[in-house]
Amino acid sequence: MSPKQRYKTPSRASSSSQSAHTQHFTQSSSLFVRSTTDGHVFSTPNQRQAAPNYPDSSSTNQSRNSSRTNTGNVVPLYQSSPQLPPHPQRQRLSLRPPSSRASSDNSGRRQGNDDDSCLEDVLSSEDADALGEIIMAVDMRDNGNLGCAYYVAIDETMFLLEDVPMSGIDLVETLLLHVNPTTILISARASEALAGYLTKRVQGVDGNQGDLRSAFILRNLNSADFRYDAGKARLLALNLETLGHQSVLYTSIVDEAMDEGDGFGGEENSKQARLMRLGTSINLDSRLTIGCAGALLGDLQRRRTAHYLPNDPDALVAFRIKSIEMFALFDSMFINADTLVSLQILQSEQHPNSHQRGPSNSGSGSKESLSVYGLFQHLARTPQGKLKLRQIFLRPSTDINLIHIRQKTISFLLRPGNTEVLVQLSSELKKIKNMKSVVALLEKGVDIPGRKISIANNVWASLQRFAAYSLRLRDSLRTLPGSEKVEIIRKVVDAIQPLVLCQVGELISQTIDFEQSVERGRTAVRHGVDDDLDGLKRSYDGMEDFLTNVIAKLRGELPEWARRYVQNCIFFPQLGFLTVVSLNPETGKGNYDGEGLNDMWERMFAADGCVYYKNRQMKEMDEHFGDAYCMIIDREIEIIHELAVKILAQQEAIITASDVLGELDSLFALAIGCGQYNWVAPKMTNQNVIHIQGGRHPLQELVVPSFIANDCYISGGPGDPDEGISNDNSSEVERNSIEHPSTLVLTGPNHSGKSVYLKQVALIVYLAHIGCFVPAEQAQIGITDRILTRIATRESVAKNESAFSIDLRQVAFAMNFATRRSLVLIDEFGKGTNNLDGAGLVAAVLDHFTSLGPDRPKVLAATHFHEIFEGQFLTETPKLAFGHMDVRLDFDAPTMEDQVTYLFQLKSGRSIASFGSRCAAMNGIDEAIVERAESIMLMLVRNEDLEVVCSKLSDVETQKLEEAEAVARNFLGQDIQTPPNNGIRAQGKRYRQILDQISLLGDSTSES
């Protein structure tokens, strides 16, 4: 039995019943071999050997399958196999070429990673690759302007980005993180920065790219494909279903006619009319993005042409675009990749299973590490819920109404009376699968997608369980007191249509016999669904007794000597009834081939010591009974096809219910996590403030015995007075901007908690914007449009940048993109260069942010450059405040580890020192080195000349110098006479005596 069971797809162009008949037997040829189909062998009771292996007829079947014909021109092979009903217009199909579809039976399935796998449990590798295809076109000019468009195959939707001016590779990295494309298209004239960055991340020939989460295929297209005019023309030629039926037709006096074949149902055939209508939903001023959309549409057209033959009905809907949506990168809170890594919002690690490491078709090869998203990811129970939860984390909202709705939902679910119900409903959601992938399989006529999927988990079982559990969840949610006031519950109740799902469940239950399907290894139809099918099955089930009578009658007609050679009468699908005769090993022929009878015995084949013959009686049985098993399979395929047609008529309701349950699951995960970690609901406001009381770090508090909470009170610039602030709030905004600073600069020792404080404030703001509760006693968070960080330096040998240049780029990005509603974090900037240069840069950057007046952002900074305060380069003002993490000093403590005690509490004012030497001692640096470092540090504080101080000699060195000086003076005071010329040896001896006397005089002088 093939691992993938197919039936006639309701969405494919009509084929004959004979095609369906032969298609099945290509996969399941023999009825009487126990390893096939239902495992039965039908023969006479005195059968002395197993059924033989007969020649494979798959080649014949394949040739039949290769041709498609219209059912209207085909005469049914059997009377029990009527023509199929007309096929409905196809709504979706596999995006693989036909040849690939025919050879995909034994392929594996591509599944998503642990957090975003919408195809898990049901799709094979090639099907998932087709539905999971995300093609992105991106273009960036040398001046930094960025445009992007991408196409999601499973949603049949194209997304267009609002052009982003003065962007950089940081934004491209953020787009890759949000889109996670499988293929990227760039222009041959793309900027070197863009092409170089994407080339380094592209996947190799084997599909792997190191430990990157999202390797992709990179394709370079002609720059003409990215032209604005060509892109706009391709967009105008689209037939978008989302535009619907228009009640007003746009006309113009001066207009150009469009091709009727590309029209919107013939209602609009003018260029200007389409342009006006398209401009209502697409920003045509985003010239780079429109060019990217044109390149994307051109690539989809090339794929369609390459994968499908002309006039192939599949090509009509392959790579179809049903809707186009615009998205702006800053519609939600902007979080770039540096921020996600620095704050540990998303963080992956190598999978513990070595066989699952490295990106492949089945996943990214990594798992979620200790991260904020990781706190909630395992609480989502459904594949679509995990996807929705990840989307929520990647797109924090700036819509205060949406945030309030999510907060109210979590508050409702965390009521004391609802806690147990929440846990129970969450466990019920675990039984819900993603129906979007299941419906996609159903449309392609696949009900058992692969070997790993059992009959109990095939398409029909998944649909039946989904209908039952969805209705049960709907009823459970309605019984919760006050549930009618919760929007997501109202949405679930409205989206799940009881009549439709009941109908789906009953149709499947009344049609599919799951117990018999498990026994046979294929989908079987329940008894009582079709009278003709039941009759065929009764005949088929009684065939064993019938064959016993046939062989007995046949032996009675044979000569007495031949009866012992005729062993059996057997039936093979497609070959029919055959008489089995023992084989003569000497001649290679049967021991009996019809001698003495007025009948011709035609030899069909020989196998396993037997010869199989077709005689007159066997032919009469073939004509009378036909191929019973094949007729059963044909009829079952037709019934299952009719069932699929009925189910697919309700696919919109099924997918809508699945998606809304995924959204419910994501909110359940947030609620359960907030309850487990004892978080509270923040108060969201349009005022530009961050007021946190008793804030905690969501990850740090889980890994330490006790966590010290801290407050934060900062306020950004009030903005333009004409911005539209109401009179009621204007005074409060002005008071906040005066009473609370916009920039807080932290100092203090190493290990005192400065970085943790910066991150916890940012994480509280971030969590508030996804609609989640926050780890604090109380919080008032103003709407924040961007969180920009300079915390972590992500170095790589692939980047031709030093650590300091990366830091500079991060700070420059923050300075260019920060608005008054942004939160900027700067942690120890300037440490990668000379102290004077670093201190100057820190002071200048902080002064820049505070000098922006009404447009100043909220800034949290930490530094060890105390000289900028001592030199009065930064002074405390109403806009700029100093703070430090408190420590307790005890220099009389016997051990250096006890001399500095960290209290981890934020105090106003700045710290006097960083106590780096004490931290060095605590981390194992030798005490002598620490003492030497402290002495040099004190000299620097006293402004002493280090060159003079460091050149001072010790007592021993001074004594040696004095001895040398005495010897030199004695030598200079000697009057050395030339000795007599008694030979060289005698003269040398005389000179040596003089030097020894000088040395002795020097020693005596130094002693005195």
Side-chain angles (χ1 to χ4, degrees):
M1 183 67 188
S2 173
K4 180 181 290 187
Q5 177 69 40
R6 289 183 177 268
Y7 59 84
K8 294 271 293 181
T9 169
S11 55
R12 191 180 302 280
S14 299
S15 301
S16 68
S17 59
Q18 182 177 356
S19 299
H21 161 84
T22 55
Q23 181 182 8
H24 176 83
F25 290 104
T26 302
Q27 304 163 16
S28 178
S29 303
S30 176
L31 172 63
F32 300 103
V33 179
R34 188 168 296 278
S35 61
T36 62
T37 319
D38 56 2
H40 294 299
V41 176
F42 285 133
S43 63
T44 58
N46 60 346
Q47 177 179 330
R48 287 182 288 179
Q49 66 275 337
N53 296 325
Y54 57 94
D56 187 11
S57 58
S58 60
S59 60
T60 304
N61 299 328
Q62 290 173 359
S63 64
R64 296 182 201 173
N65 280 333
S66 61
S67 63
R68 294 182 179 178
T69 57
N70 189 290
T71 54
N73 300 326
V74 175
V75 178
L77 188 60
Y78 307 104
Q79 295 181 356
S80 61
S81 301
Q83 298 182 11
L84 295 178
H87 291 267
Q89 183 179 359
R90 186 160 186 177
Q91 297 299 320
R92 183 189 294 278
L93 77 166
S94 171
L95 299 183
R96 294 176 285 116
S99 59
S100 174
R101 287 199 295 272
S103 61
S104 63
D105 288 354
N106 297 324
S107 60
R109 287 284 173 186
R110 176 182 177 181
Q111 297 176 354
N113 54 30
D114 292 341
D115 37 305
D116 55 40
S117 175
C118 67
L119 305 176
E120 79 175 5
D121 294 339
V122 289
L123 287 179
S124 66
S125 177
E126 290 186 354
D127 293 329
D129 284 344
L131 292 176
E133 184 83 345
I134 300 177
I135 309 171
M136 183 173 84
V138 61
D139 193 15
M140 187 171 70
R141 300 296 171 85
D142 292 333
N143 60 3
N145 292 346
L146 176 70
C148 174
Y150 67 94
Y151 170 75
V152 181
I154 194 169
D155 294 325
E156 299 182 337
T157 304
M158 184 167 68
F159 297 88
L160 306 183
L161 171 71
E162 294 276 359
D163 280 2
V164 180
M166 297 188 302
S167 65
I169 296 300
D170 305 80
L171 293 183
V172 177
E173 188 175 10
T174 301
L175 279 173
L176 293 181
L177 185 66
H178 282 251
V179 178
N180 195 20
T182 57
T183 302
I184 294 183
L185 313 174
I186 63 172
S187 170
R189 295 185 180 180
S191 65
E192 291 186 10
L194 176 64
Y197 174 77
L198 294 177
T199 302
K200 292 174 183 176
R201 295 197 58 177
V202 69
Q203 68 183 18
V205 177
D206 58 351
N208 293 328
Q209 175 67 17
D211 59 351
L212 295 177
R213 288 184 61 93
S214 55
F216 48 80
I217 298 172
L218 180 65
R219 296 185 56 205
N220 286 274
L221 303 182
N222 194 310
S223 59
D225 292 336
F226 285 82
R227 289 190 299 109
Y228 173 76
D229 294 335
K232 188 169 67 172
R234 287 194 170 107
L235 286 173
L236 290 175
L238 280 179
N239 186 357
L240 297 179
E241 296 183 6
T242 53
L243 294 179
H245 177 80
Q246 61 268 32
S247 58
V248 178
L249 296 182
Y250 297 97
T251 58
S252 176
I253 297 176
V254 181
D255 207 352
E256 298 177 27
M258 298 289 289
D259 186 1
E260 289 285 342
D262 292 331
F264 294 92
E267 292 178 330
E268 273 181 1
N269 60 354
S270 65
K271 179 177 180 180
Q272 187 64 23
R274 292 194 184 187
L275 185 63
M276 295 173 64
R277 197 151 191 255
L278 189 65
T280 61
S281 57
I282 296 177
N283 182 10
L284 296 177
D285 292 332
S286 297
R287 300 182 66 86
L288 288 180
T289 294
I290 298 300
C292 291
L296 181 58
L297 292 172
D299 183 73
L300 294 179
Q301 179 60 38
R302 281 189 290 269
R303 290 181 181 225
R304 190 183 298 114
T305 304
H307 289 177
Y308 297 91
L309 296 174
N311 300 323
D312 190 335
D314 287 353
L316 298 177
V317 288
F319 301 104
R320 178 175 57 182
I321 297 176
K322 297 174 67 175
S323 63
I324 297 180
E325 298 178 17
M326 292 292 298
F327 74 100
L329 204 57
F330 302 118
D331 273 349
S332 58
M333 177 194 286
F334 175 73
I335 299 286
N336 63 4
D338 286 328
T339 302
L340 290 173
V341 172
S342 300
L343 301 182
Q344 286 183 265
I345 295 172
L346 295 172
Q347 186 166 316
S348 61
E349 64 182 6
Q350 272 197 336
H351 201 285
N353 187 344
S354 60
H355 295 285
Q356 297 187 20
R357 293 177 184 170
S360 63
N361 284 340
S362 61
S364 64
S366 61
K367 61 183 288 289
E368 193 67 25
S369 180
L370 180 63
S371 64
V372 179
Y373 171 67
L375 298 180
F376 298 91
Q377 182 230 4
H378 66 282
L379 300 175
R381 305 298 185 183
T382 65
Q384 62 270 36
K386 292 180 185 293
L387 282 174
K388 181 63 178 178
L389 183 64
R390 185 176 178 87
Q391 182 183 16
I392 289 175
F393 270 84
L394 285 174
R395 300 177 185 175
S397 178
T398 55
D399 184 353
I400 195 169
N401 294 324
L402 176 60
I403 296 172
H404 285 156
I405 290 172
R406 290 177 180 172
Q407 288 181 351
K408 291 179 180 178
T409 302
I410 296 174
S411 298
F412 172 80
L413 295 174
L414 290 180
R415 288 179 182 176
N418 295 337
T419 305
E420 294 183 1
V421 179
L422 173 61
V423 176
Q424 179 182 355
L425 291 176
S426 180
S427 62
E428 289 288 335
L429 278 169
K430 193 174 183 179
K431 304 170 185 177
I432 300 292
K433 299 300 180 184
N434 189 0
M435 289 298 103
K436 189 173 289 185
S437 54
V438 173
V439 169
L441 282 174
L442 191 62
E443 289 179 329
K444 289 182 287 186
V446 179
D447 58 354
I448 306 176
R451 292 177 179 176
K452 295 182 180 180
I453 306 301
S454 65
I455 294 292
N457 293 317
N458 68 354
V459 168
W460 302 113
S462 298
L463 280 167
Q464 186 186 46
R465 286 196 295 266
F466 174 79
Y469 291 131
S470 297
L471 293 174
R472 185 187 303 177
L473 280 168
R474 181 179 184 272
D475 295 338
S476 300
L477 290 171
R478 292 184 65 186
T479 59
L480 292 176
S483 60
E484 66 279 358
K485 299 179 181 178
V486 181
E487 179 168 332
I488 183 61
I489 296 181
R490 293 200 308 267
K491 192 174 180 181
V492 170
V493 172
D494 294 339
I496 297 178
Q497 304 178 28
L499 293 178
V500 172
L501 294 184
C502 284
Q503 180 185 6
V504 169
E506 290 176 358
L507 283 173
I508 296 174
S509 300
Q510 295 171 1
T511 306
I512 306 298
D513 189 338
F514 290 100
E515 293 182 1
Q516 194 178 57
S517 298
V518 172
E519 294 176 359
R520 295 187 177 184
R522 61 174 179 81
T523 303
V525 176
R526 187 179 293 277
H527 178 77
V529 174
D530 184 80
D531 294 337
D532 294 338
L533 178 62
D534 294 340
L536 290 171
K537 285 185 176 181
R538 283 192 296 269
S539 300
Y540 176 76
D541 293 337
M543 191 172 291
E544 186 173 343
D545 295 334
F546 171 73
L547 291 177
T548 302
N549 297 330
V550 169
I551 191 62
K553 179 182 179 182
L554 180 63
R555 284 174 176 169
E557 298 175 356
L558 299 177
E560 185 175 352
W561 64 270
R563 293 175 184 175
R564 62 191 181 95
Y565 298 121
V566 178
Q567 300 177 355
N568 202 354
C569 180
I570 199 168
F571 171 80
F572 280 113
Q574 298 181 342
L575 295 180
F577 294 90
L578 299 175
T579 301
V580 184
V581 180
S582 61
L583 177 69
N584 187 339
E586 296 179 357
T587 62
K589 299 180 180 180
N591 289 315
Y592 178 76
D593 56 2
E595 295 95 328
L597 297 178
N598 187 19
D599 186 11
M600 187 180 75
W601 285 38
E602 180 184 359
R603 174 172 172 164
M604 303 301 294
F605 63 90
D608 296 336
C610 297
V611 181
Y612 294 81
Y613 289 92
K614 178 78 73 172
N615 51 36
R616 176 178 51 80
Q617 189 171 357
M618 299 297 106
K619 293 179 181 178
E620 290 176 355
M621 292 170 58
D622 288 342
E623 294 177 359
H624 180 73
F625 294 102
D627 195 337
Y629 181 77
C630 293
M631 288 191 290
I632 291 173
I633 299 301
D634 279 348
R635 186 55 188 153
E636 286 190 330
I637 290 175
E638 293 167 1
I639 294 172
I640 294 172
H641 166 77
E642 295 170 359
L643 174 63
V645 172
K646 295 176 182 177
I647 299 298
L648 287 175
Q650 309 296 339
Q651 64 173 325
E652 184 177 351
I654 295 172
I655 293 177
T656 301
S658 175
D659 290 343
V660 75
L661 287 176
E663 185 178 354
L664 176 69
D665 185 30
S666 65
L667 294 178
F668 274 11
L670 290 178
I672 294 173
C674 292
Q676 288 180 355
Y677 307 127
N678 195 26
W679 293 358
V680 301
K683 179 183 178 182
M684 301 302 296
T685 176
N686 284 317
Q687 299 178 29
N688 195 14
V689 297
I690 297 177
H691 292 177
I692 301 172
Q693 183 176 343
R696 310 184 305 276
H697 193 290
L699 300 178
Q700 189 75 16
E701 69 171 342
L702 300 178
V703 296
V704 296
S706 61
F707 188 88
I708 307 301
N710 283 295
D711 303 339
C712 178
Y713 297 96
I714 57 176
S715 177
D720 191 346
D722 299 332
E723 197 172 89
I725 302 176
S726 63
N727 296 329
D728 297 337
N729 296 329
S730 60
S731 59
E732 188 174 356
V733 169
E734 184 178 356
R735 185 174 67 254
N736 284 329
S737 63
I738 295 175
E739 294 180 355
H740 304 295
S742 61
T743 301
L744 176 62
V745 182
L746 295 182
T747 56
N750 300 97
H751 295 284
S752 61
K754 300 186 301 298
S755 298
V756 171
Y757 178 80
L758 266 62
K759 294 176 182 178
Q760 83 180 33
V761 172
L763 285 174
I764 289 174
V765 173
Y766 171 84
L767 289 169
H769 282 75
I770 67 174
C772 183
F773 286 9
V774 298
E777 296 176 5
Q778 188 177 350
Q780 181 182 10
I781 308 298
I783 293 297
T784 303
D785 60 357
R786 302 164 197 179
I787 298 180
L788 307 169
T789 62
R790 203 323 308 158
I791 297 178
T793 304
R794 297 190 298 150
E795 295 184 77
S796 171
V797 294
K799 296 180 180 179
N800 190 21
E801 293 179 296
S802 66
F804 183 59
S805 65
I806 295 174
D807 294 351
L808 289 172
R809 179 168 51 80
Q810 291 175 344
V811 172
F813 185 84
M815 295 174 65
N816 290 332
F817 282 87
T819 68
R820 71 180 188 89
R821 288 196 173 273
S822 300
L823 174 62
V824 181
L825 306 182
I826 301 176
D827 190 12
E828 296 189 24
F829 172 59
K831 63 183 179 181
T833 186
N834 177 273
N835 282 348
L836 295 177
D837 293 341
L841 285 170
V842 170
V845 168
L846 295 177
D847 182 69
H848 165 77
F849 283 124
T850 55
S851 63
L852 292 177
D855 296 324
R856 62 186 183 275
K858 302 176 287 291
V859 181
L860 293 175
T863 184
H864 289 288
F865 290 119
H866 296 275
E867 52 266 38
I868 64 178
F869 310 113
E870 295 166 355
Q872 300 296 312
F873 300 111
L874 279 181
T875 58
E876 204 162 8
T877 65
K879 302 176 184 178
L880 175 65
F882 298 152
H884 69 279
M885 305 306 291
D886 198 16
V887 295
R888 184 175 64 84
L889 304 178
D890 184 7
F891 294 110
D892 297 330
T895 59
M896 190 166 294
E897 289 83 355
D898 296 332
Q899 293 180 359
V900 179
T901 303
Y902 298 102
L903 302 179
F904 303 108
Q905 289 183 341
L906 178 65
K907 299 291 184 181
S908 60
R910 65 181 183 86
S911 176
I912 58 174
S914 295
F915 302 101
S917 59
R918 294 295 190 274
C919 293
M922 294 171 61
N923 286 276
I925 303 297
D926 187 80
E927 187 174 351
I929 297 176
V930 173
E931 291 178 354
R932 174 64 172 167
E934 288 186 339
S935 64
I936 294 177
M937 180 181 65
L938 292 174
M939 295 174 195
L940 289 173
V941 171
R942 293 195 293 263
N943 291 325
E944 297 183 11
D945 190 340
L946 287 182
E947 185 176 355
V948 174
V949 174
C950 291
S951 62
K952 184 178 180 180
L953 303 178
S954 63
D955 294 341
V956 176
E957 292 173 337
T958 302
Q959 183 180 356
K960 290 181 179 180
L961 183 61
E962 291 176 352
E963 293 175 358
E965 183 181 1
V967 171
R969 291 184 182 280
N970 290 332
F971 178 77
L972 294 175
Q974 292 291 328
D975 184 12
I976 301 176
Q977 300 293 331
T978 303
N981 190 8
N982 296 329
I984 296 177
R985 185 180 297 276
Q987 290 180 351
K989 186 176 181 181
R990 173 60 181 162
Y991 287 135
R992 184 173 299 278
Q993 291 175 352
I994 295 173
L995 293 175
D996 290 340
Q997 292 176 0
I998 294 172
S999 178
L1000 290 174
L1001 290 174
D1003 291 341
S1004 61
T1005 303
S1006 61
E1007 291 176 0
S1008 62

